[in-house]
């Protein structure tokens, strides 16, 4: 049995796992499903490489992949999951299960689901050259069990070393995604590195946010997918470069990195309204919503006696400084009466 924190660690673990333990987990999962163990187990350095091996575009370790037989994912993984959920529902009832899921796997599932979707889309974007090939790749991805990224469900069921999910759990502790077929199982290594922000989103400003041993990489800034070359530009941004970016989502990333207050100051923005609560600033952006911010001064002095200035981004529809400051507190302008601005 593992604590919740341990399963969270499994989901984000990087580096080589125990291949022997993972392979034993695969064989156990087959036996628990009533199947013979696969005649061959093949390793890949990433899910990306695993898909290429299954497509026949790169060789498997040591030799060609050969005849895999049909996918047995439903038998080896799908049915045991369904049986475990049914047992939990019967034991806890619908409301009890809902509460149990919220207390165990729900939060972890949200972050791992986002990550797995990003990996899938990255593989498709990199490998698919036409719609037919895209369809084939997506079908191969549906054949995959998620290994370490099944940790959210495993945390809810908390399998022991002898129960019906023991094999699946053993693979999750030691490997990444894996593909169970009748005659062959393909297992992917875990990533070499993973960088996320406090919200669990892929995030890195100076390199790949996710990197595997075969060179498959994903770049992201606070969860937003970005091209690898994009990050190199962030250190040399100017207001003109930001304005000239046609992709609105990438422009927002640039603005966050550059700093809204700095952008307003250096782009020649002028205040559109001021009152006792602060100053409202607006900059128009071609093809995107306006950047609208309220400049406020903290009325509580810092230890050195100075008063700190804050810049708060507010909705483009904001027309007055009071309306903007009130919005940051979830209030309408007419009911906002600050006793002390902070």
């Amino acid at each position: 049995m593992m604590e919740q924190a341990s399963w969270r660690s499994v989901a984000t673990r990087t580096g080589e796992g125990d291949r022997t333990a993972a392979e034993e987990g695969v064989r156990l999962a087959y036996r628990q499903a009533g199947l013979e163990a696969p005649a061959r187990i093949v390793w890949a350095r990433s899910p990306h490489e695993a898909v290429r091996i299954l497509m026949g575009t790169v060789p498997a370790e040591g030799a060609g992949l050969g005849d895999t037989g049909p996918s047995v994912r439903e038998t080896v993984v799908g049915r045991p999951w369904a049986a475990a959920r049914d047992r939990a529902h019967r034991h806890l009832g619908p409301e009890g299960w809902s509460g149990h899921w919220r207390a165990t796997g729900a939060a972890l599932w949200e972050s791992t689901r986002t990550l797995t979707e990003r990996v899938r889309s990255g593989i498709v974007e990199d490998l698919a050259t036409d719609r037919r090939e895209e369809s084939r790749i997506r079908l191969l991805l549906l054949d995959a069990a998620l290994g370490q990224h099944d940790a959210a469900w495993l945390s809810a069921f908390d399998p022991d070393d002898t129960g019906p999910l023991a094999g699946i759990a053993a693979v999750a502790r030691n490997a990444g995604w894996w593909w169970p077929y009748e005659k062959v199982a393909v297992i992917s290594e875990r990533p070499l590195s993973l960088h996320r922000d406090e919200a669990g989103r892929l995030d890195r400003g100076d390199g790949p946010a996710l990197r595997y041993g075969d060179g498959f990489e994903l770049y992201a800034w606070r969860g937003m997918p970005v091209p690898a070359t994009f990050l190199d530009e962030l250190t040399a941004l100017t207001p003109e470069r930001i304005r000239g970016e046609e992709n609105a989502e990438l422009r927002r990333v640039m603005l966050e990195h550059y700093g809204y207050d700095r952008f307003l100051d250096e782009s020649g923005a002028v205040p559109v309204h001021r009152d006792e609560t602060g100053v409202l600033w607006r900059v128009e952006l071609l093809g995107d919503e306006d950047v609208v911010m309220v400049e406020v001064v903290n009325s509580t002095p810092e230890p050195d006696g100075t008063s700190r200035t804050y810049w708060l981004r507010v909705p483009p529809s904001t027309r007055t400084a009071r309306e903007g400051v009130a919005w940051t507190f979830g209030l309408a302008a007419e009911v906002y009466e600050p006793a002390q601005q902070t």
Side-chain angles (χ1 to χ4, degrees):
M1 308 287 277
M2 293 176 61
E3 296 180 355
Q4 299 302 315
S6 297
W7 284 116
R8 287 194 294 271
S9 174
V10 165
T12 58
R13 200 167 288 165
T14 57
E16 291 185 3
D18 185 331
R19 283 195 173 192
T20 300
E23 291 179 8
E24 285 302 315
V26 168
R27 295 186 183 100
L28 176 58
Y30 274 66
R31 291 197 301 271
Q32 289 182 313
L35 300 177
E36 290 187 9
R40 187 176 175 206
I41 295 178
V42 172
W43 282 84
R45 292 170 293 175
S46 75
H48 181 281
E49 186 173 73
V51 169
R52 294 178 69 201
I53 290 172
L54 290 165
M55 293 175 68
T57 58
V58 296
E61 288 183 353
L65 189 61
D67 180 19
T68 65
S71 171
V72 291
R73 184 192 183 283
E74 179 60 24
T75 302
V76 174
V77 179
R79 291 177 188 171
W81 281 137
R85 286 195 297 269
D86 288 344
R87 287 193 298 271
H89 274 275
R90 288 196 301 270
H91 177 68
L92 299 171
E95 291 187 7
W97 163 251
S98 179
H100 176 71
W101 174 243
R102 288 195 302 272
T104 54
L108 181 57
W109 170 241
E110 284 304 309
S111 61
T112 54
R113 178 181 60 83
T114 302
L115 176 59
T116 57
E117 288 176 354
R118 183 71 185 91
V119 171
R120 287 191 183 100
S121 63
I123 293 171
V124 171
E125 290 167 8
D126 195 49
L127 297 181
T129 58
D130 54 41
R131 289 189 177 182
R132 181 177 180 181
E133 197 166 54
E134 178 181 340
S135 177
R136 182 185 178 193
I137 292 168
R138 290 189 183 280
L139 289 173
L140 286 173
L141 290 169
L142 289 175
D143 286 342
L146 298 183
Q148 69 178 123
H149 295 147
D150 276 327
W153 291 102
L154 290 165
S155 72
F157 301 134
D158 199 16
D160 57 35
D161 293 335
T162 59
L165 299 180
I168 296 171
V171 182
R173 295 187 189 101
N174 293 285
W177 298 13
W178 58 291
W179 281 256
Y181 292 92
E182 181 183 50
K183 301 176 182 179
V184 178
V186 178
I187 311 176
S188 166
E189 294 277 12
R190 297 185 299 225
L192 297 181
S193 61
L194 171 66
H195 300 266
R196 305 190 303 167
D197 64 10
E198 64 281 355
R201 303 172 299 184
L202 286 176
D203 178 48
R204 190 180 179 190
D206 60 353
L210 182 70
R211 181 170 66 91
Y212 282 91
D214 65 330
F216 176 58
E217 299 172 333
L218 296 177
Y219 291 78
W221 173 266
R222 297 183 183 176
M224 167 72 183
V226 297
T229 55
F230 176 80
L231 297 177
D232 296 334
E233 294 187 66
L234 295 182
T235 58
L237 286 176
T238 64
E240 292 73 23
R241 172 66 184 92
I242 294 172
R243 285 180 177 275
E245 175 56 53
E246 296 181 356
N247 185 307
E249 292 183 327
L250 292 182
R251 189 191 302 128
R252 293 187 187 109
V253 173
M254 290 177 171
L255 282 167
E256 287 187 7
H257 187 274
Y258 196 74
Y260 288 103
D261 53 344
R262 182 184 172 193
F263 178 77
L264 290 172
D265 180 56
E266 296 181 8
S267 62
V270 295
V272 295
H273 182 265
R274 67 175 71 233
D275 57 30
E276 72 281 3
T277 66
V279 182
L280 186 70
W281 299 79
R282 179 183 300 272
V283 174
E284 295 183 359
L285 294 176
L286 183 64
D288 197 4
E289 63 183 22
D290 293 354
V291 173
V292 181
M293 303 195 76
V294 177
E295 176 188 358
V296 298
V297 177
N298 189 352
S299 60
T300 303
E302 299 294 312
D304 62 1
T306 61
S307 294
R308 187 173 178 181
T309 299
Y310 292 90
W311 298 78
L312 311 173
R313 189 167 188 187
V314 296
S317 59
T318 305
R319 293 291 176 263
T320 68
R322 172 180 290 275
E323 181 184 351
V325 175
W327 178 85
T328 67
F329 289 97
L331 300 172
E334 58 271 16
V335 298
Y336 173 66
E337 294 292 342
Q340 181 178 10
Q341 296 176 25
T342 59

